[in-house]
Amino acid sequence: MIVSQKANVTVIETGHVTSAEGFYAGGVHCGLRRKKLDFGWIYSDVPAAAAGVYTQNTFQAAPLKVTQDSIASSGKIQAIVTNSANANACTGKIGMENAEIMRSQAAGQMGIEPKHTAILSTGLIGVQLPMATIEKGIQSINVHADEPESFEQAILTTDTVTKHTAVQTEVDGKTITIGGAAKGSGMIHPNMATMLAYMTTDAAVDQAALHRLLKEATDHTYNMITVDGDSSTNDTVLALANGKQGNTALDESHPDWDSFKAAFFLVSELLAKKIARDGEGATKLIEVSVTGAASSTSARRVAKAVISSNLVKTAVYGADPNWGRVVCAVGYSEEPVDPDTVDVYLGDIQVVEDGLPSDFSEAEGTAYLEQEQVKVIVDLKQGEAEATAWGCDLTYDYVKINASYRT
Amino acid sequence: MIVSQKANVTVIETGHVTSAEGFYAGGVHCGLRRKKLDFGWIYSDVPAAAAGVYTQNTFQAAPLKVTQDSIASSGKIQAIVTNSANANACTGKIGMENAEIMRSQAAGQMGIEPKHTAILSTGLIGVQLPMATIEKGIQSINVHADEPESFEQAILTTDTVTKHTAVQTEVDGKTITIGGAAKGSGMIHPNMATMLAYMTTDAAVDQAALHRLLKEATDHTYNMITVDGDSSTNDTVLALANGKQGNTALDESHPDWDSFKAAFFLVSELLAKKIARDGEGATKLIEVSVTGAASSTSARRVAKAVISSNLVKTAVYGADPNWGRVVCAVGYSEEPVDPDTVDVYLGDIQVVEDGLPSDFSEAEGTAYLEQEQVKVIVDLKQGEAEATAWGCDLTYDYVKINASYRT
């Protein structure tokens, strides 16, 4: 189903992480969780140029280190193996050994090189991986399984829905596809999250250019979402480009780079928004756009301050057009904002003009906030820079989910 | 009732903001709120050396500017007038004019100089003060009223209890008293809060030394509490020293400075903890102590990261000894922490040793967290610096209160 077109980019809303040619994926239940799928893999026909972006948390989990090692040593990844239910984080030397065993056993099962194998884990922190169970998962890998839904299920933790999409654009006159899948629901904050995202394309992309693009796209999308302000130990975004379409390898000098970049950003944004909307306990997606900022950094910081505010999030939950909380968050963003020039809008309804309340209808404000997607626009009127951040409302269910995640 | 003694400091748990000699206080209902008291004052027999510390929020409310002007112009304050229900913040030029009218009318009513008059407001943002109602409050001021409980009631917003204390120590062989009162429940975060605190002493204190002391005490107490991460537009701590005990004016060179400083810090800490414990919807006071940090700044940042984590706060609410969330927050504090040396304790129960889970009883951990006061200790084992932060659990009621504050 094609839902929209933008800058020569076609969105395939029902697309999957395997929509690009030469990618396969599957998932199984190996026993880490009671019933749900808990072990998945993505496989590419051929080793693909690979790039990764990882959490800034000091306590980086073991599998991230193993994946970074694979990408650093070869620049290419052919398969990504992921388990849920256990993050293999804060597990010390044994955790590192287990991550390495997981990589080498998975590579052996698939008949590929360990240096072409990435592994990711998500779930509880501080519990050693039950390796016999992981081994059962590895033995179930069928590299030519065409079951992306199973993969997309297997990577979930507290998520309520799978998150996947695909887009297409033209490169060298050929239709290339970028597919993606992601998970993430709690412990989600700028500078990554307990968030895993996988992006796959059949375009040929120069590895260094792919890394630069992934970093830039992450800064504008995955790093602009927040659920609860907690950056996790395991956040990772991986991008694989297997070149199956036979285009001239893309980099910034390629005439179709802009189209490819737009497509790549769009997949990132769509997945990031799906994560924000599925935030733990969320009933609404909140989008905060900051315009007229003095700098891009300033715009991003103000947007993040507003989207992260528990008071803004509860006001949206309660459909209360309490613009004071938006203004307050702008004020404590530590950016040099001029209180006397700030405008704030809820959708099309102006609620603040030059730092003072506008004459708006509270009832209309409430009606607007009762929608499932809500936009807050903050115009600083200081410059030209802009940024957008995404998050969700803070609800009873967030508390419920997190007061009893384990017990 | 004397409850404890510490470094020659005696705590009078039932003490008030008027416990020091020569201070009077009262409060009335003038009509800003439906029924509750909403207008209060503190009055000193004589102009008192005064110091203030204010919110870092860019959108600083009008009354804070007027109070800063009073202290800057005279260094002395004789009365502080406060209304609740309306913060006079984001109210532009008219708000500034109203704040100035409130100061001059109150000064006139009390027969003191406007430059010796401080005013504070707390409540809704972005609504002009109803000046006729404020005027009714001003006309009710009775400077020799001895009704501190009424004052302590009148300053509250979503608070569920009044917050007050007093301590005594010896200066020049005389017993001096420091009393205090505070309010604050939501929009509470390091770098102040929708938090007002008032400290009064009958000791004579050099005005510059009082300012330095207030700043230092605030950094270690009021700025180390968080309820929801939102710093408000109106946060203020004011300290008045009226010298009624006739001691030689205190500064850092006075032989009894250390006792006075200990007493002053203690009042600040007691009030700060009362604010944290009364956080919106809170059922528990959480204290996070960081030891073994490389620097004081590092200790403070790590403590703030842990106390601010929604996931830690919900885990404590659910009495879930989920130490992974503590470690995760330490990791994203952006401080150079070594994951392999971190120890974590819940009270006396060690749950993490050298970054790895200890062999502790989950049942004991849960039993500990079911208490009304909970301590989390993080030992970084990197140096000698320490810091403590206070906060509360995140509960259904926080969401309830904030989803419907106005509507």
Side-chain angles (χ1 to χ4, degrees), chain B residues 217-294:
Chain B
T218 299
D219 279 346
H220 285 87
T221 57
Y222 302 114
N223 279 350
M224 294 302 286
I225 56 176
T226 188
V227 169
D228 53 17
D230 284 59
S231 317
S232 103
T233 48
N234 290 55
D235 310 326
T236 304
V237 185
L238 294 180
L240 304 188
N242 68 7
K244 295 284 276 191
Q245 292 301 337
N247 57 291
T248 315
L250 284 153
D251 66 13
E252 291 85 345
S253 67
H254 192 290
D256 290 326
W257 177 257
D258 285 350
S259 295
F260 181 71
K261 181 177 170 176
F264 195 91
F265 265 61
L266 188 56
V267 172
S268 307
E269 181 180 322
L270 290 170
L271 292 176
K273 285 161 78 168
K274 285 174 195 282
I275 294 168
R277 173 63 186 84
D278 195 31
E280 286 174 345
T283 67
K284 293 171 192 176
L285 175 68
I286 310 175
E287 178 174 301
V288 175
S289 290
V290 173
T291 61

Side-chain angles (χ1 to χ4, degrees), chain B residues 57-238:
Chain B
N57 195 305
T58 313
F59 295 79
Q60 216 174 63
L64 279 65
K65 291 173 186 162
V66 167
T67 293
Q68 286 169 65
D69 173 70
S70 287
I71 294 181
S73 70
S74 72
K76 287 185 185 292
I77 291 295
Q78 190 164 3
I80 308 170
V81 172
T82 303
N83 73 276
S84 56
N86 184 315
N88 194 9
C90 296
T91 46
K93 231 180 113 213
I94 295 172
M96 269 306 297
E97 286 165 12
N98 285 339
E100 275 160 16
I101 292 167
M102 183 170 162
R103 171 173 60 174
S104 64
Q105 287 191 346
Q109 169 75 16
M110 295 183 281
I112 64 173
E113 295 191 55
K115 70 175 179 185
H116 289 159
T117 306
I119 61 167
L120 294 174
S121 299
T122 179
L124 262 182
I125 294 176
V127 182
Q128 297 295 353
L129 278 180
M131 290 308 288
T133 312
I134 292 287
E135 215 170 304
K136 272 184 63 186
I138 289 170
Q139 285 163 0
S140 308
I141 298 177
N142 164 13
V143 294
H144 286 110
D146 185 18
E147 297 157 3
E149 294 92 343
S150 299
F151 172 79
E152 289 151 3
Q153 282 287 348
I155 61 178
L156 304 184
T157 50
T158 53
D159 305 59
T160 65
V161 292
T162 57
K163 296 159 188 81
H164 54 89
T165 193
V167 306
Q168 292 185 322
T169 191
E170 300 280 307
V171 172
D172 292 346
K174 303 164 201 289
T175 298
I176 70 95
T177 302
I178 307 175
K183 64 88 32 178
S185 184
M187 221 187 247
I188 301 251
H189 192 60
N191 288 326
M192 311 285 288
T194 300
M195 184 199 82
L196 302 177
Y198 307 77
M199 298 169 70
T200 53
T201 180
D202 46 21
V205 188
D206 171 74
Q207 199 247 338
L210 183 65
H211 184 76
R212 287 189 295 270
L213 179 61
L214 179 63
K215 222 181 149 316
E216 194 186 343
T218 299
D219 279 346
H220 285 87
T221 57
Y222 302 114
N223 279 350
M224 294 302 286
I225 56 176
T226 188
V227 169
D228 53 17
D230 284 59
S231 317
S232 103
T233 48
N234 290 55
D235 310 326
T236 304
V237 185
L238 294 180

Side-chain angles (χ1 to χ4, degrees), chain A residues 125 185-189 193-194 228 230-232 280, chain B residues 311 325 328:
Chain A
I125 293 175
S185 184
M187 222 187 245
I188 301 250
H189 192 61
T194 300
D228 53 17
D230 284 60
S231 317
S232 104
E280 287 174 344
Chain B
L311 288 171
R325 295 178 179 179
C328 183

Side-chain angles (χ1 to χ4, degrees), chain A residues 56-59 90-92 124-128 186-187 191 227-233 280 309-312 314-315 317-325 327-332 334-335 337-339 342 355-357 362 366 394-407, chain B residues 56-59 89-92 124-128 186-187 191 228-233 280 309-312 314-315 317-325 327-332 334-335 337-339 342 355-357 362 366 394-407:
Chain A
Q56 297 303 306
N57 194 305
T58 312
F59 295 79
C90 296
T91 45
L124 261 185
I125 293 175
V127 182
Q128 296 295 352
M187 222 187 245
N191 288 324
V227 169
D228 53 17
D230 284 60
S231 317
S232 104
T233 48
E280 287 174 344
S309 161
N310 276 354
L311 289 170
V312 171
T314 45
Y317 175 52
D320 177 1
N322 192 334
W323 57 268
R325 295 179 179 179
V327 166
C328 183
V330 172
Y332 67 67
E334 298 183 11
E335 290 303 306
V337 172
D338 181 354
V342 173
L356 295 172
E362 289 258 335
T366 296
L394 174 59
T395 70
Y396 298 108
D397 280 352
Y398 175 84
V399 176
K400 187 172 177 183
I401 292 164
N402 284 298
S404 58
Y405 179 54
R406 301 192 314 168
T407 51
Chain B
Q56 297 303 306
N57 195 305
T58 313
F59 295 79
C90 296
T91 46
L124 262 182
I125 294 176
V127 182
Q128 297 295 353
M187 221 187 247
N191 288 326
D228 53 17
D230 284 59
S231 317
S232 103
T233 48
E280 286 174 345
S309 160
N310 276 354
L311 288 171
V312 170
T314 45
Y317 175 52
D320 177 2
N322 192 334
W323 56 269
R325 295 178 179 179
V327 166
C328 183
V330 172
Y332 67 67
E334 299 183 9
E335 289 303 306
V337 172
D338 180 354
V342 174
L356 296 172
E362 290 259 335
T366 296
L394 174 59
T395 70
Y396 299 109
D397 280 351
Y398 176 84
V399 177
K400 187 172 177 184
I401 291 163
N402 284 298
S404 58
Y405 180 54
R406 302 193 315 168
T407 50

